[in-house]
Amino acid sequence: MDGFFLDGMASAVQLIVGGDPELLSIVLLSLRCTVLACVCATVAALPLALLITNTDFPGKRASILCLNTLQAVPTVVIGLFLYMFISRRGIFGFLDILYTPVGISLGQFLLILPMLTMFMLSALSRLDRRYSETAQTLGAGRLLTAWIILREARFAVSAALCAAFGRGIAEVGVAMMLGGNIKGFTRTMTTAMALEYDKGEFALAMALGFVLLLVSLCLNIGLGFFQGKVERRA
């Protein structure tokens, strides 16, 4: 057992250190898809969280309840419904994005959007309302007021972005159903790990696992560095 584990670790390290082309292509594809999904989700989540936080409107509680419910939806359900929409027989089949990196990014976007919105909503709701009231009293417009609010909640917002990125890059179900796990085209780190496990080939799976851990470590180090740097300036 020890020999099996050590041999697998040694092979995995060799793949990483040697810059295996297949490993690199899988890692780069995963990062590209997840970064695109996170950017799009951030653009959608920020104004939505600000709107819910600073505006009283009919259905506000229902909106929050809906977002909380969507956080708990299984990923395979998201993958299934999105598959029905973007498949060739679906409403958006003409886009031809099924089994493409764009399809994976779209699935990750829908997966992390409710979570990112609720995290940002939680961060913004904890702020003292006097920040926005003071800014508006001093003549700040809506955009400037929103910027001031986001600046005060920057630590929580950056933590939410890191959590969303980690959630997206670790996803299996959506990537498998919408990407198809096509070698050299839509094979992400998690789907490749699942495939290599089924084949009994653990070297590449372990190497990808190490890379995922490294990405998580780098995210947390970057977040800590950012928070510490901002605190020293303050």
Side-chain angles (χ1 to χ4, degrees), residues 29-90:
L29 174 66
S30 298
L31 293 174
R32 189 167 68 248
C33 290
T34 307
V35 167
L36 177 60
C38 284
V39 170
C40 294
T42 302
V43 171
L46 272 175
L48 183 58
L50 286 168
L51 175 66
I52 295 175
T53 303
N54 299 312
T55 308
D56 292 324
F57 57 89
K60 182 174 181 177
R61 289 183 177 272
S63 300
I64 296 175
L65 177 62
C66 182
L67 288 170
N68 276 320
T69 303
L70 290 174
Q71 287 188 92
V73 174
T75 59
V76 291
V77 174
I78 295 176
L80 176 62
F81 277 94
L82 192 54
Y83 177 90
M84 294 174 66
F85 278 105
I86 65 176
S87 65
R88 291 189 179 276
R89 293 184 294 174

Tab-separated table of all heavy atoms in Angstrom, residues 29-90:
chain	number	residue	atom	x	y	z
A	29	LEU	N	-7.084	25.157	-19.350
A	29	LEU	CA	-8.493	25.189	-19.738
A	29	LEU	C	-9.376	25.418	-18.518
A	29	LEU	O	-10.321	26.221	-18.556
A	29	LEU	CB	-8.883	23.887	-20.433
A	29	LEU	CG	-10.376	23.744	-20.764
A	29	LEU	CD1	-10.787	24.772	-21.811
A	29	LEU	CD2	-10.702	22.339	-21.243
A	30	SER	N	-9.080	24.732	-17.425
A	30	SER	CA	-9.870	24.887	-16.203
A	30	SER	C	-9.804	26.316	-15.693
A	30	SER	O	-10.833	26.910	-15.333
A	30	SER	CB	-9.364	23.922	-15.124
A	30	SER	OG	-9.499	22.579	-15.526
A	31	LEU	N	-8.603	26.873	-15.667
A	31	LEU	CA	-8.449	28.249	-15.193
A	31	LEU	C	-9.175	29.229	-16.101
A	31	LEU	O	-9.838	30.164	-15.622
A	31	LEU	CB	-6.960	28.603	-15.115
A	31	LEU	CG	-6.142	27.860	-14.053
A	31	LEU	CD1	-4.659	28.202	-14.188
A	31	LEU	CD2	-6.636	28.195	-12.648
A	32	ARG	N	-9.076	29.025	-17.412
A	32	ARG	CA	-9.721	29.935	-18.356
A	32	ARG	C	-11.234	29.919	-18.201
A	32	ARG	O	-11.870	30.983	-18.164
A	32	ARG	CB	-9.319	29.560	-19.776
A	32	ARG	CG	-9.760	30.583	-20.818
A	32	ARG	CD	-9.077	30.356	-22.156
A	32	ARG	NE	-9.520	29.129	-22.800
A	32	ARG	CZ	-8.743	28.053	-22.974
A	32	ARG	NH1	-7.500	28.056	-22.538
A	32	ARG	NH2	-9.210	26.983	-23.583
A	33	CYS	N	-11.809	28.742	-18.101
A	33	CYS	CA	-13.267	28.623	-17.958
A	33	CYS	C	-13.743	29.246	-16.654
A	33	CYS	O	-14.745	29.974	-16.624
A	33	CYS	CB	-13.689	27.157	-18.017
A	33	CYS	SG	-13.515	26.383	-19.639
A	34	THR	N	-13.031	28.976	-15.561
A	34	THR	CA	-13.460	29.467	-14.255
A	34	THR	C	-13.279	30.968	-14.130
A	34	THR	O	-14.125	31.662	-13.552
A	34	THR	CB	-12.694	28.744	-13.135
A	34	THR	OG1	-12.816	27.325	-13.313
A	34	THR	CG2	-13.254	29.114	-11.772
A	35	VAL	N	-12.187	31.500	-14.652
A	35	VAL	CA	-11.972	32.953	-14.611
A	35	VAL	C	-13.074	33.672	-15.380
A	35	VAL	O	-13.626	34.686	-14.915
A	35	VAL	CB	-10.582	33.314	-15.166
A	35	VAL	CG1	-10.477	34.816	-15.418
A	35	VAL	CG2	-9.487	32.877	-14.204
A	36	LEU	N	-13.418	33.161	-16.556
A	36	LEU	CA	-14.489	33.769	-17.348
A	36	LEU	C	-15.815	33.737	-16.599
A	36	LEU	O	-16.555	34.736	-16.554
A	36	LEU	CB	-14.629	33.043	-18.685
A	36	LEU	CG	-15.769	33.510	-19.606
A	36	LEU	CD1	-15.596	34.988	-19.959
A	36	LEU	CD2	-15.828	32.655	-20.868
A	37	ALA	N	-16.124	32.600	-15.974
A	37	ALA	CA	-17.367	32.478	-15.215
A	37	ALA	C	-17.382	33.431	-14.025
A	37	ALA	O	-18.409	34.066	-13.742
A	37	ALA	CB	-17.542	31.032	-14.733
A	38	CYS	N	-16.257	33.569	-13.337
A	38	CYS	CA	-16.185	34.448	-12.162
A	38	CYS	C	-16.305	35.914	-12.554
A	38	CYS	O	-16.964	36.697	-11.863
A	38	CYS	CB	-14.882	34.209	-11.406
A	38	CYS	SG	-14.863	32.688	-10.435
A	39	VAL	N	-15.684	36.303	-13.650
A	39	VAL	CA	-15.787	37.698	-14.109
A	39	VAL	C	-17.237	38.039	-14.444
A	39	VAL	O	-17.771	39.078	-14.015
A	39	VAL	CB	-14.869	37.936	-15.323
A	39	VAL	CG1	-15.157	39.289	-15.962
A	39	VAL	CG2	-13.405	37.856	-14.907
A	40	CYS	N	-17.882	37.162	-15.194
A	40	CYS	CA	-19.280	37.406	-15.574
A	40	CYS	C	-20.198	37.396	-14.342
A	40	CYS	O	-21.118	38.222	-14.232
A	40	CYS	CB	-19.745	36.359	-16.580
A	40	CYS	SG	-18.902	36.440	-18.178
A	41	ALA	N	-19.951	36.467	-13.411
A	41	ALA	CA	-20.769	36.388	-12.202
A	41	ALA	C	-20.578	37.624	-11.328
A	41	ALA	O	-21.535	38.125	-10.722
A	41	ALA	CB	-20.421	35.130	-11.412
A	42	THR	N	-19.355	38.141	-11.269
A	42	THR	CA	-19.095	39.348	-10.484
A	42	THR	C	-19.820	40.548	-11.066
A	42	THR	O	-20.420	41.355	-10.341
A	42	THR	CB	-17.582	39.633	-10.429
A	42	THR	OG1	-16.908	38.507	-9.857
A	42	THR	CG2	-17.291	40.865	-9.579
A	43	VAL	N	-19.765	40.672	-12.389
A	43	VAL	CA	-20.450	41.783	-13.065
A	43	VAL	C	-21.955	41.732	-12.800
A	43	VAL	O	-22.609	42.773	-12.649
A	43	VAL	CB	-20.166	41.735	-14.579
A	43	VAL	CG1	-21.033	42.735	-15.332
A	43	VAL	CG2	-18.691	42.014	-14.847
A	44	ALA	N	-22.521	40.534	-12.692
A	44	ALA	CA	-23.953	40.402	-12.439
A	44	ALA	C	-24.279	40.492	-10.945
A	44	ALA	O	-25.305	41.059	-10.564
A	44	ALA	CB	-24.459	39.075	-12.997
A	45	ALA	N	-23.419	39.939	-10.092
A	45	ALA	CA	-23.722	39.848	-8.667
A	45	ALA	C	-23.587	41.184	-7.944
A	45	ALA	O	-24.370	41.485	-7.035
A	45	ALA	CB	-22.819	38.805	-8.010
A	46	LEU	N	-22.587	41.980	-8.319
A	46	LEU	CA	-22.351	43.246	-7.612
A	46	LEU	C	-23.563	44.192	-7.677
A	46	LEU	O	-24.057	44.634	-6.627
A	46	LEU	CB	-21.108	43.928	-8.165
A	46	LEU	CG	-19.782	43.532	-7.519
A	46	LEU	CD1	-18.618	44.198	-8.248
A	46	LEU	CD2	-19.756	43.905	-6.050
A	47	PRO	N	-24.062	44.530	-8.854
A	47	PRO	CA	-25.230	45.425	-8.883
A	47	PRO	C	-26.468	44.806	-8.263
A	47	PRO	O	-27.280	45.505	-7.647
A	47	PRO	CB	-25.430	45.696	-10.382
A	47	PRO	CG	-24.711	44.610	-11.093
A	47	PRO	CD	-23.578	44.210	-10.213
A	48	LEU	N	-26.611	43.479	-8.399
A	48	LEU	CA	-27.768	42.815	-7.804
A	48	LEU	C	-27.719	42.895	-6.278
A	48	LEU	O	-28.722	43.193	-5.623
A	48	LEU	CB	-27.822	41.356	-8.267
A	48	LEU	CG	-29.023	40.530	-7.799
A	48	LEU	CD1	-30.324	41.172	-8.248
A	48	LEU	CD2	-28.920	39.102	-8.335
A	49	ALA	N	-26.541	42.644	-5.699
A	49	ALA	CA	-26.391	42.728	-4.241
A	49	ALA	C	-26.589	44.157	-3.747
A	49	ALA	O	-27.231	44.385	-2.709
A	49	ALA	CB	-25.013	42.207	-3.835
A	50	LEU	N	-26.052	45.124	-4.483
A	50	LEU	CA	-26.232	46.527	-4.102
A	50	LEU	C	-27.702	46.932	-4.181
A	50	LEU	O	-28.206	47.660	-3.314
A	50	LEU	CB	-25.392	47.427	-5.007
A	50	LEU	CG	-23.885	47.427	-4.758
A	50	LEU	CD1	-23.155	48.117	-5.900
A	50	LEU	CD2	-23.560	48.120	-3.433
A	51	LEU	N	-28.390	46.471	-5.212
A	51	LEU	CA	-29.810	46.794	-5.375
A	51	LEU	C	-30.633	46.235	-4.217
A	51	LEU	O	-31.458	46.939	-3.624
A	51	LEU	CB	-30.312	46.237	-6.705
A	51	LEU	CG	-31.815	46.382	-6.972
A	51	LEU	CD1	-32.186	47.856	-7.112
A	51	LEU	CD2	-32.214	45.611	-8.223
A	52	ILE	N	-30.391	44.975	-3.884
A	52	ILE	CA	-31.163	44.344	-2.807
A	52	ILE	C	-30.843	44.996	-1.465
A	52	ILE	O	-31.728	45.179	-0.614
A	52	ILE	CB	-30.872	42.833	-2.760
A	52	ILE	CG1	-31.360	42.166	-4.043
A	52	ILE	CG2	-31.538	42.191	-1.555
A	52	ILE	CD1	-31.008	40.699	-4.151
A	53	THR	N	-29.582	45.374	-1.260
A	53	THR	CA	-29.176	45.948	0.023
A	53	THR	C	-29.746	47.340	0.229
A	53	THR	O	-30.222	47.671	1.327
A	53	THR	CB	-27.643	46.018	0.114
A	53	THR	OG1	-27.098	44.705	-0.061
A	53	THR	CG2	-27.202	46.552	1.467
A	54	ASN	N	-29.708	48.169	-0.802
A	54	ASN	CA	-30.016	49.595	-0.637
A	54	ASN	C	-31.404	49.989	-1.109
A	54	ASN	O	-31.731	51.177	-1.093
A	54	ASN	CB	-28.976	50.438	-1.393
A	54	ASN	CG	-27.577	50.217	-0.856
A	54	ASN	OD1	-27.354	50.250	0.339
A	54	ASN	ND2	-26.620	49.991	-1.754
A	55	THR	N	-32.191	49.020	-1.552
A	55	THR	CA	-33.517	49.353	-2.090
A	55	THR	C	-34.575	48.479	-1.439
A	55	THR	O	-34.396	47.270	-1.288
A	55	THR	CB	-33.551	49.143	-3.617
A	55	THR	OG1	-32.459	49.845	-4.219
A	55	THR	CG2	-34.861	49.648	-4.191
A	56	ASP	N	-35.666	49.106	-1.063
A	56	ASP	CA	-36.842	48.374	-0.583
A	56	ASP	C	-37.851	48.278	-1.726
A	56	ASP	O	-38.320	49.294	-2.241
A	56	ASP	CB	-37.475	49.099	0.613
A	56	ASP	CG	-36.583	49.057	1.845
A	56	ASP	OD1	-35.911	48.028	2.053
A	56	ASP	OD2	-36.547	50.065	2.596
A	57	PHE	N	-38.154	47.074	-2.110
A	57	PHE	CA	-39.072	46.873	-3.231
A	57	PHE	C	-39.936	45.651	-2.955
A	57	PHE	O	-39.551	44.768	-2.172
A	57	PHE	CB	-38.299	46.686	-4.543
A	57	PHE	CG	-37.311	45.548	-4.527
A	57	PHE	CD1	-37.686	44.262	-4.895
A	57	PHE	CD2	-35.998	45.772	-4.113
A	57	PHE	CE1	-36.783	43.222	-4.877
A	57	PHE	CE2	-35.087	44.724	-4.083
A	57	PHE	CZ	-35.473	43.460	-4.463
A	58	PRO	N	-41.111	45.594	-3.563
A	58	PRO	CA	-41.976	44.418	-3.376
A	58	PRO	C	-41.275	43.154	-3.861
A	58	PRO	O	-40.688	43.133	-4.943
A	58	PRO	CB	-43.198	44.740	-4.243
A	58	PRO	CG	-43.175	46.221	-4.413
A	58	PRO	CD	-41.743	46.620	-4.408
A	59	GLY	N	-41.317	42.125	-3.058
A	59	GLY	CA	-40.684	40.875	-3.432
A	59	GLY	C	-39.229	40.765	-3.016
A	59	GLY	O	-38.531	39.851	-3.462
A	60	LYS	N	-38.762	41.674	-2.165
A	60	LYS	CA	-37.361	41.635	-1.730
A	60	LYS	C	-37.069	40.353	-0.953
A	60	LYS	O	-36.072	39.677	-1.191
A	60	LYS	CB	-37.049	42.866	-0.877
A	60	LYS	CG	-35.613	42.944	-0.404
A	60	LYS	CD	-35.343	44.255	0.309
A	60	LYS	CE	-33.895	44.345	0.775
A	60	LYS	NZ	-33.600	45.663	1.418
A	61	ARG	N	-37.925	40.024	-0.017
A	61	ARG	CA	-37.729	38.789	0.760
A	61	ARG	C	-37.806	37.557	-0.132
A	61	ARG	O	-37.048	36.605	0.044
A	61	ARG	CB	-38.777	38.698	1.873
A	61	ARG	CG	-38.578	39.692	3.008
A	61	ARG	CD	-39.612	39.499	4.097
A	61	ARG	NE	-39.391	40.391	5.212
A	61	ARG	CZ	-38.594	40.108	6.241
A	61	ARG	NH1	-37.951	38.957	6.268
A	61	ARG	NH2	-38.444	40.970	7.226
A	62	ALA	N	-38.702	37.606	-1.102
A	62	ALA	CA	-38.830	36.469	-2.017
A	62	ALA	C	-37.572	36.319	-2.867
A	62	ALA	O	-37.145	35.198	-3.166
A	62	ALA	CB	-40.055	36.649	-2.908
A	63	SER	N	-36.967	37.440	-3.249
A	63	SER	CA	-35.732	37.400	-4.036
A	63	SER	C	-34.601	36.763	-3.246
A	63	SER	O	-33.844	35.936	-3.772
A	63	SER	CB	-35.333	38.815	-4.475
A	63	SER	OG	-36.346	39.407	-5.262
A	64	ILE	N	-34.491	37.152	-1.971
A	64	ILE	CA	-33.446	36.581	-1.113
A	64	ILE	C	-33.695	35.097	-0.899
A	64	ILE	O	-32.763	34.279	-0.936
A	64	ILE	CB	-33.394	37.336	0.225
A	64	ILE	CG1	-32.985	38.796	-0.008
A	64	ILE	CG2	-32.434	36.657	1.199
A	64	ILE	CD1	-33.024	39.664	1.234
A	65	LEU	N	-34.957	34.729	-0.695
A	65	LEU	CA	-35.305	33.319	-0.534
A	65	LEU	C	-34.965	32.530	-1.787
A	65	LEU	O	-34.442	31.399	-1.711
A	65	LEU	CB	-36.795	33.187	-0.211
A	65	LEU	CG	-37.341	31.759	-0.072
A	65	LEU	CD1	-36.655	31.040	1.090
A	65	LEU	CD2	-38.848	31.778	0.136
A	66	CYS	N	-35.231	33.097	-2.944
A	66	CYS	CA	-34.927	32.434	-4.211
A	66	CYS	C	-33.421	32.223	-4.366
A	66	CYS	O	-32.971	31.145	-4.772
A	66	CYS	CB	-35.478	33.261	-5.362
A	66	CYS	SG	-35.214	32.537	-6.995
A	67	LEU	N	-32.633	33.237	-4.028
A	67	LEU	CA	-31.177	33.114	-4.128
A	67	LEU	C	-30.653	32.053	-3.170
A	67	LEU	O	-29.766	31.262	-3.516
A	67	LEU	CB	-30.519	34.469	-3.835
A	67	LEU	CG	-30.677	35.542	-4.912
A	67	LEU	CD1	-30.193	36.886	-4.398
A	67	LEU	CD2	-29.896	35.148	-6.167
A	68	ASN	N	-31.195	32.025	-1.956
A	68	ASN	CA	-30.784	31.003	-0.995
A	68	ASN	C	-31.142	29.607	-1.481
A	68	ASN	O	-30.376	28.651	-1.297
A	68	ASN	CB	-31.444	31.258	0.371
A	68	ASN	CG	-30.679	32.254	1.207
A	68	ASN	OD1	-29.449	32.235	1.238
A	68	ASN	ND2	-31.384	33.143	1.874
A	69	THR	N	-32.302	29.485	-2.109
A	69	THR	CA	-32.730	28.188	-2.637
A	69	THR	C	-31.829	27.737	-3.771
A	69	THR	O	-31.451	26.566	-3.859
A	69	THR	CB	-34.185	28.278	-3.117
A	69	THR	OG1	-35.025	28.700	-2.046
A	69	THR	CG2	-34.654	26.917	-3.632
A	70	LEU	N	-31.464	28.667	-4.644
A	70	LEU	CA	-30.609	28.323	-5.780
A	70	LEU	C	-29.217	27.883	-5.340
A	70	LEU	O	-28.555	27.115	-6.051
A	70	LEU	CB	-30.496	29.522	-6.726
A	70	LEU	CG	-31.760	29.877	-7.510
A	70	LEU	CD1	-31.561	31.158	-8.301
A	70	LEU	CD2	-32.152	28.730	-8.435
A	71	GLN	N	-28.777	28.349	-4.177
A	71	GLN	CA	-27.480	27.901	-3.674
A	71	GLN	C	-27.472	26.408	-3.367
A	71	GLN	O	-26.428	25.758	-3.455
A	71	GLN	CB	-27.118	28.663	-2.393
A	71	GLN	CG	-26.707	30.085	-2.591
A	71	GLN	CD	-26.190	30.696	-1.312
A	71	GLN	OE1	-25.001	30.677	-1.020
A	71	GLN	NE2	-27.094	31.228	-0.507
A	72	ALA	N	-28.629	25.891	-2.997
A	72	ALA	CA	-28.721	24.493	-2.586
A	72	ALA	C	-29.096	23.552	-3.721
A	72	ALA	O	-29.172	22.339	-3.516
A	72	ALA	CB	-29.748	24.356	-1.452
A	73	VAL	N	-29.321	24.087	-4.918
A	73	VAL	CA	-29.689	23.235	-6.058
A	73	VAL	C	-28.498	22.360	-6.441
A	73	VAL	O	-27.384	22.866	-6.613
A	73	VAL	CB	-30.126	24.093	-7.258
A	73	VAL	CG1	-30.357	23.225	-8.481
A	73	VAL	CG2	-31.383	24.871	-6.924
A	74	PRO	N	-28.679	21.048	-6.566
A	74	PRO	CA	-27.566	20.175	-6.972
A	74	PRO	C	-27.009	20.571	-8.333
A	74	PRO	O	-27.747	21.009	-9.219
A	74	PRO	CB	-28.219	18.780	-7.029
A	74	PRO	CG	-29.421	18.882	-6.145
A	74	PRO	CD	-29.908	20.292	-6.278
A	75	THR	N	-25.720	20.420	-8.479
A	75	THR	CA	-25.071	20.840	-9.721
A	75	THR	C	-25.564	20.051	-10.927
A	75	THR	O	-25.628	20.584	-12.037
A	75	THR	CB	-23.553	20.693	-9.603
A	75	THR	OG1	-23.229	19.322	-9.310
A	75	THR	CG2	-23.011	21.571	-8.488
A	76	VAL	N	-25.918	18.780	-10.714
A	76	VAL	CA	-26.403	17.986	-11.846
A	76	VAL	C	-27.750	18.506	-12.341
A	76	VAL	O	-28.080	18.368	-13.531
A	76	VAL	CB	-26.511	16.491	-11.463
A	76	VAL	CG1	-25.137	15.895	-11.262
A	76	VAL	CG2	-27.360	16.297	-10.220
A	77	VAL	N	-28.530	19.115	-11.446
A	77	VAL	CA	-29.807	19.705	-11.864
A	77	VAL	C	-29.543	20.915	-12.757
A	77	VAL	O	-30.193	21.091	-13.797
A	77	VAL	CB	-30.645	20.098	-10.633
A	77	VAL	CG1	-31.907	20.847	-11.067
A	77	VAL	CG2	-31.020	18.872	-9.828
A	78	ILE	N	-28.593	21.749	-12.360
A	78	ILE	CA	-28.219	22.899	-13.192
A	78	ILE	C	-27.709	22.418	-14.548
A	78	ILE	O	-28.076	22.947	-15.598
A	78	ILE	CB	-27.145	23.746	-12.480
A	78	ILE	CG1	-27.717	24.359	-11.204
A	78	ILE	CG2	-26.622	24.843	-13.409
A	78	ILE	CD1	-26.711	25.127	-10.388
A	79	GLY	N	-26.855	21.397	-14.517
A	79	GLY	CA	-26.323	20.854	-15.756
A	79	GLY	C	-27.410	20.289	-16.646
A	79	GLY	O	-27.392	20.483	-17.871
A	80	LEU	N	-28.384	19.607	-16.057
A	80	LEU	CA	-29.466	18.996	-16.826
A	80	LEU	C	-30.336	20.050	-17.504
A	80	LEU	O	-30.612	19.967	-18.711
A	80	LEU	CB	-30.324	18.122	-15.911
A	80	LEU	CG	-31.567	17.482	-16.542
A	80	LEU	CD1	-31.166	16.547	-17.671
A	80	LEU	CD2	-32.389	16.747	-15.491
A	81	PHE	N	-30.765	21.050	-16.733
A	81	PHE	CA	-31.634	22.075	-17.307
A	81	PHE	C	-30.893	22.898	-18.357
A	81	PHE	O	-31.458	23.225	-19.414
A	81	PHE	CB	-32.173	22.987	-16.206
A	81	PHE	CG	-33.375	22.435	-15.504
A	81	PHE	CD1	-33.236	21.710	-14.330
A	81	PHE	CD2	-34.646	22.609	-16.031
A	81	PHE	CE1	-34.340	21.181	-13.686
A	81	PHE	CE2	-35.761	22.093	-15.396
A	81	PHE	CZ	-35.611	21.369	-14.219
A	82	LEU	N	-29.640	23.226	-18.089
A	82	LEU	CA	-28.877	23.988	-19.073
A	82	LEU	C	-28.625	23.153	-20.328
A	82	LEU	O	-28.651	23.686	-21.446
A	82	LEU	CB	-27.555	24.442	-18.456
A	82	LEU	CG	-26.759	25.491	-19.240
A	82	LEU	CD1	-27.630	26.704	-19.537
A	82	LEU	CD2	-25.522	25.908	-18.470
A	83	TYR	N	-28.405	21.868	-20.154
A	83	TYR	CA	-28.236	20.976	-21.307
A	83	TYR	C	-29.476	20.999	-22.195
A	83	TYR	O	-29.375	21.031	-23.426
A	83	TYR	CB	-27.957	19.557	-20.820
A	83	TYR	CG	-27.843	18.542	-21.933
A	83	TYR	CD1	-26.616	18.267	-22.522
A	83	TYR	CD2	-28.972	17.859	-22.390
A	83	TYR	CE1	-26.510	17.344	-23.548
A	83	TYR	CE2	-28.872	16.933	-23.415
A	83	TYR	CZ	-27.644	16.671	-23.986
A	83	TYR	OH	-27.545	15.762	-25.012
A	84	MET	N	-30.651	20.991	-21.564
A	84	MET	CA	-31.894	21.004	-22.329
A	84	MET	C	-32.065	22.302	-23.115
A	84	MET	O	-32.670	22.324	-24.190
A	84	MET	CB	-33.083	20.799	-21.387
A	84	MET	CG	-33.108	19.416	-20.736
A	84	MET	SD	-34.407	19.256	-19.493
A	84	MET	CE	-35.863	19.402	-20.518
A	85	PHE	N	-31.508	23.390	-22.597
A	85	PHE	CA	-31.636	24.678	-23.274
A	85	PHE	C	-30.639	24.841	-24.420
A	85	PHE	O	-30.964	25.462	-25.438
A	85	PHE	CB	-31.463	25.826	-22.277
A	85	PHE	CG	-32.702	26.153	-21.504
A	85	PHE	CD1	-32.832	25.779	-20.180
A	85	PHE	CD2	-33.748	26.834	-22.112
A	85	PHE	CE1	-33.979	26.078	-19.463
A	85	PHE	CE2	-34.904	27.138	-21.417
A	85	PHE	CZ	-35.028	26.760	-20.080
A	86	ILE	N	-29.408	24.312	-24.244
A	86	ILE	CA	-28.367	24.589	-25.241
A	86	ILE	C	-28.071	23.402	-26.144
A	86	ILE	O	-27.196	23.497	-27.016
A	86	ILE	CB	-27.060	25.058	-24.562
A	86	ILE	CG1	-26.453	23.936	-23.712
A	86	ILE	CG2	-27.296	26.298	-23.723
A	86	ILE	CD1	-25.101	24.306	-23.102
A	87	SER	N	-28.768	22.288	-25.938
A	87	SER	CA	-28.586	21.167	-26.853
A	87	SER	C	-29.165	21.534	-28.220
A	87	SER	O	-29.867	22.537	-28.371
A	87	SER	CB	-29.273	19.910	-26.309
A	87	SER	OG	-30.675	20.098	-26.249
A	88	ARG	N	-28.881	20.738	-29.210
A	88	ARG	CA	-29.312	21.065	-30.574
A	88	ARG	C	-30.827	21.194	-30.695
A	88	ARG	O	-31.337	21.951	-31.519
A	88	ARG	CB	-28.814	19.992	-31.550
A	88	ARG	CG	-27.301	20.017	-31.735
A	88	ARG	CD	-26.885	19.092	-32.855
A	88	ARG	NE	-25.438	19.119	-33.070
A	88	ARG	CZ	-24.811	20.024	-33.813
A	88	ARG	NH1	-25.522	20.966	-34.414
A	88	ARG	NH2	-23.504	19.989	-33.952
A	89	ARG	N	-31.566	20.456	-29.860
A	89	ARG	CA	-33.021	20.545	-29.891
A	89	ARG	C	-33.565	21.572	-28.919
A	89	ARG	O	-34.772	21.759	-28.812
A	89	ARG	CB	-33.626	19.176	-29.598
A	89	ARG	CG	-33.371	18.143	-30.674
A	89	ARG	CD	-34.065	16.845	-30.372
A	89	ARG	NE	-33.504	16.214	-29.163
A	89	ARG	CZ	-33.998	15.111	-28.603
A	89	ARG	NH1	-35.053	14.521	-29.125
A	89	ARG	NH2	-33.422	14.601	-27.533
A	90	GLY	N	-32.680	22.253	-28.180
A	90	GLY	CA	-33.106	23.226	-27.197
A	90	GLY	C	-33.363	24.596	-27.802
A	90	GLY	O	-33.110	24.856	-28.990
